[in-house]
Amino acid sequence: MTKPITTLLFDFDGTLLDTNELIIQTFTSVLGSRYPGRFSREDILHFIGPSLKQTFEAIDPDNAEELIAEYRSLNKTLHDELVAEYDGVPETLRLLKARGLKMAIVSTKRRDTIVHGLGLMNIPDIFDVVIGLDQVTNPKPDPEPLKLALDLLNSTPDEALMIGDNSHDIEGGKNAGVRTAGVAWSIKGEAFLSSYEPDFMLQHISDLLELTKEAVQ
């Protein structure tokens, strides 16, 4: 018998906070100055999701650390101007919290930047656990960050759901043995995410209220 979902593991960028334009503009600026004309907006979409280390080492391994530093500096400058909220996210997260669901963020972004984003969304205390890139050795799709979150929440894989907008969220969830949910508002499109065969596809964040109702009855 399938256990009720009591634990929610969320990706952050593109799932809870719309940072897509921020990421695209930061990459466009950094890469455009180094490699004029080499990367289109379509190319840059592929860089949304993986860690900066994974992306820049694939582009220019000799200068990856310098590119990461440049990216982070510009991203911080542009951040608050370019991010936007998705419909219903803060309200739904508050409802889930009030129902007693255990919740964590599992991201390939650094923890301090995630915490800053949560503050902008006015939900600084919603999450029991926030796992950033700087807290693990191996980012998603490796199961390490998901397993760390589950350990800290005192949850087991069979009661957890990983929610994200990208392939590595779904693959990371499968590698950790948890159920997975894609989000239809992914910038890469619902069809792209569906190809990774998540257990669920959320059309709106509030779909989670129905998915977790068994855990709170």
Side-chain angles (χ1 to χ4, degrees):
M1 182 176 171
T2 306
K3 277 193 175 184
I5 296 166
T6 66
T7 303
L8 300 173
L9 309 177
F10 291 91
D11 177 51
F12 189 66
D13 286 338
T15 299
L16 297 182
L17 185 65
D18 186 352
T19 55
N20 291 318
E21 198 57 37
L22 168 68
I23 293 168
I24 289 166
Q25 288 198 29
T26 308
F27 270 121
T28 298
S29 178
V30 171
L31 295 174
S33 64
R34 294 279 189 131
Y35 322 99
R38 180 174 159 190
F39 295 98
S40 67
R41 186 181 176 92
E42 192 66 30
D43 293 328
I44 288 169
L45 288 182
H46 297 292
F47 305 150
I48 295 178
S51 70
L52 293 177
K53 188 174 192 297
Q54 290 168 325
T55 295
F56 284 122
E57 283 189 347
I59 293 170
D60 187 346
D62 293 337
N63 295 297
E65 290 304 318
E66 186 181 342
L67 288 164
I68 289 169
E70 190 177 332
Y71 178 99
R72 283 182 172 150
S73 176
L74 180 59
N75 189 271
K76 187 173 183 179
T77 302
L78 297 175
H79 187 282
D80 294 5
E81 177 190 346
L82 292 179
V83 298
E85 285 189 10
Y86 290 115
D87 180 63
V89 167
E91 299 85 348
T92 300
L93 292 174
R94 289 190 192 101
L95 285 171
L96 292 165
K97 178 79 168 177
R99 289 182 173 190
L101 275 294
K102 293 190 277 188
M103 299 197 293
I105 287 176
V106 182
S107 174
T108 53
K109 185 175 227 170
R110 291 194 302 182
R111 191 179 193 280
D112 60 342
T113 315
I114 301 166
V115 170
H116 178 74
L118 291 172
L120 288 179
M121 297 168 72
N122 200 28
I123 49 170
D125 303 319
I126 288 290
F127 290 93
D128 308 295
V129 169
V130 175
I131 304 296
L133 179 66
D134 43 336
Q135 292 162 271
V136 296
T137 304
N138 303 295
K140 298 175 293 186
D142 191 277
E144 180 191 344
L146 287 86
K147 288 181 175 179
L148 176 58
L150 291 174
D151 287 345
L152 293 172
L153 291 170
N154 196 28
S155 294
T156 57
D158 57 356
E159 60 185 322
L161 177 71
M162 177 72 214
I163 302 121
D165 69 312
N166 221 316
S167 57
H168 66 285
D169 299 312
I170 308 306
E171 291 175 326
K174 291 177 185 290
N175 290 338
V178 308
R179 281 167 280 181
T180 57
V183 299
W185 54 94
S186 165
I187 194 170
K188 295 184 180 179
E190 184 176 348
F192 169 81
L193 267 191
S194 293
S195 71
Y196 290 88
E197 300 183 341
D199 297 289
F200 307 100
M201 183 64 71
L202 307 182
Q203 297 300 318
H204 189 270
I205 190 74
S206 58
D207 292 349
L208 287 171
L209 298 171
E210 178 69 20
L211 278 179
T212 59
K213 67 179 183 180
E214 289 181 27
V216 293
Q217 286 178 348

